[in-house]
Amino acid sequence: VIGNWKMNGCLERNASLLAELRSMSCADRVDVVVCPPFPFISQAKDVLSGSAVSVGAQNLSSFKDGAYTGEVSGSMLLDLGCSWVIVGHSERRSVFGETDHVVATKVALALELGLKPILCVGETLAQREAGEAEAVVQAQLDGVLAVVGAALASDIVVAYEPVWAIGTGRTATPDQAEVMHAFIRAHLERSGVAAQKVKILYGGSVTAANASLLFVKPDIDGALVGGASLVAESFSLICAAAAAI
Ligand code: 13P
């Protein structure tokens, strides 16, 4: 269960949220990761040190180092103690123009550095209504597979986040999500990836109320949680739901 804080938080508020997450009892039975904005990564590492909760980042540069003003490299994230990084979130693709090629470069760089990439894929509402959801997701996966190769791709965590379900309160139904997750796993398998090893997370309006219904599905291995990850009680309940299953 991964919390994507997006561009939210401040030192004071983070301190109480992180302190509550630190004491979560289920974190030894489920992989729990929080991804704060870059400036708060050290704070999260400090408060969570010695706990079972890991820290990740929301993005990394597609360049290794050098004259790239405003960028944050993967090796800096490692230096700060991050072990995970979200790549290709739909907000990065749509607001910041990240192409499949940039996303693939970032995934490859993360893998090379030993950061675990969480690759986000997902279709827009228009694409779903046009019957293109699977083709869109397949193209997003193929862009990465072409650069990374099937052998290394089993180390990627895939997050299926239908764009129409992000921050809208409109979750994909567990059946809709499962159909896409099964498609993703089958496509990875067809592409020569050890797909049973790959964790496929669902993201998009996951709450404490709907998490269990999603987690019981065989191909839904966890969740990438936005809004609900900013509230300790909600995030803890989602983690507990995963641990229970
Ligand atoms: P919400 O849970 O707020 O819908 O956000 C999902 C998301 O984009 C996580 O990366």
Side-chain angles (χ1 to χ4, degrees), residues 224-244:
L224 180 54
V225 185
S229 72
L230 299 170
V231 181
E233 191 191 359
S234 310
F235 191 62
S236 303
L237 285 170
I238 295 167
C239 295

Side-chain angles (χ1 to χ4, degrees), residues 2 4 6 86 89-91 120 161 165-169 203-206 224-228:
I2 302 180
N4 174 10
K6 308 195 178 184
I86 298 171
H89 191 280
S90 67
E91 288 147 17
C120 300
E161 299 206 312
I166 295 176
T168 58
S205 299
V206 175
L224 180 54
V225 185

Side-chain angles (χ1 to χ4, degrees), residues 8 20 162 181 185 192 208 229:
N8 293 292
E20 289 192 60
H181 281 228
R185 204 178 301 282
S229 72

